[in-house]
């Protein structure tokens, strides 16, 4: 459902039953908070929510996704801090949260992520040096 100029909010019961693996709504005009139901969608593997106007605290809006491989939340209005849980997913290869309102420090665990190939935290309000091992 990318690049369709969709307007409005995502439905509240978007991931009812937790069986959604891939969800792509990038490059639309979607707004508002991410539905709470997404935090229980443990089957996510790939998520593309970039280039919309989504809001919500990043650590509250999203849950635990054991099989998550790729997530792009760039160019939205997410806030809050980057919880260290984001860097603990064993399958995660790409984490992109550039150009949001994320603040706080970069979790020190960022040097322990072995499978991560892409990490874009640019244009937020983060502090802390990225470890040399990363």
């Amino acid at each position: 459902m990318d690049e369709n100029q969709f307007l409005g909010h995502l439905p509240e019961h978007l991931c009812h039953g937790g069986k959604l693996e891939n969800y792509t709504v990038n490059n639309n005009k979607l707004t508002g908070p991410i539905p709470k139901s997404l935090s229980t969608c443990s089957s996510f593997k790939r998520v593309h929510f970039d280039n919309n106007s989504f809001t919500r605290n990043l650590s509250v809006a999203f849950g635990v996704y054991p099989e998550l491989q790729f997530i792009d939340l760039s160019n939205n209005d997410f806030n809050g801090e980057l919880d260290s849980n984001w860097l603990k997913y064993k399958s995660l290869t790409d984490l992109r949260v550039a150009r949001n309102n994320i603040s706080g420090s970069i979790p020190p665990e960022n040097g322990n992520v072995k499978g991560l190939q892409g990490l874009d935290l640019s244009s937020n309000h983060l502090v802390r040096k990225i470890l040399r091992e990363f």
Side-chain angles (χ1 to χ4, degrees):
M1 297 192 316
D2 62 321
E3 299 184 31
N4 284 296
Q5 303 301 311
F6 288 135
L7 299 169
H9 300 4
L10 291 176
E12 184 56 43
H13 299 288
L14 183 64
C15 189
H16 189 69
K19 301 296 182 195
L20 191 60
E21 290 185 4
N22 301 305
Y23 198 66
T24 301
V25 292
N26 58 311
N27 299 311
N28 283 291
K29 295 182 179 181
L30 297 169
T31 60
I34 295 295
K36 292 179 183 178
S37 63
L38 285 185
S39 66
T40 62
C41 193
S42 61
S43 57
F44 270 145
K45 291 184 180 178
R46 300 184 64 79
V47 177
H48 295 265
F49 282 8
D50 48 305
N51 299 311
N52 283 287
S53 294
F54 291 124
T55 61
R56 200 153 191 186
N57 182 300
L58 188 65
S59 294
V60 173
F62 295 92
V64 175
Y65 311 118
E67 302 299 319
L68 186 65
Q69 300 167 358
F70 178 97
I71 188 163
D72 191 345
L73 306 174
S74 300
N75 293 315
N76 280 289
D77 197 23
F78 289 111
N79 59 45
E81 295 187 5
L82 186 63
D83 189 301
S84 62
N85 287 330
W86 283 97
L87 300 172
K88 293 180 181 175
Y89 296 122
K90 292 180 175 35
S91 301
L92 188 63
T93 59
D94 284 274
L95 173 61
R96 301 175 188 182
V97 292
R99 294 171 296 285
N100 280 285
N101 287 309
I102 299 167
S103 59
S105 62
I106 297 171
E109 291 86 353
N110 67 6
N112 297 323
V113 182
K114 304 298 181 206
L116 198 62
Q117 298 171 5
L119 175 65
D120 190 352
L121 307 173
S122 63
S123 300
N124 281 292
H125 307 285
L126 297 167
V127 294
R128 184 174 164 95
K129 292 181 181 179
I130 295 181
L131 300 175
R132 179 176 288 194
E133 295 85 26
F134 185 70

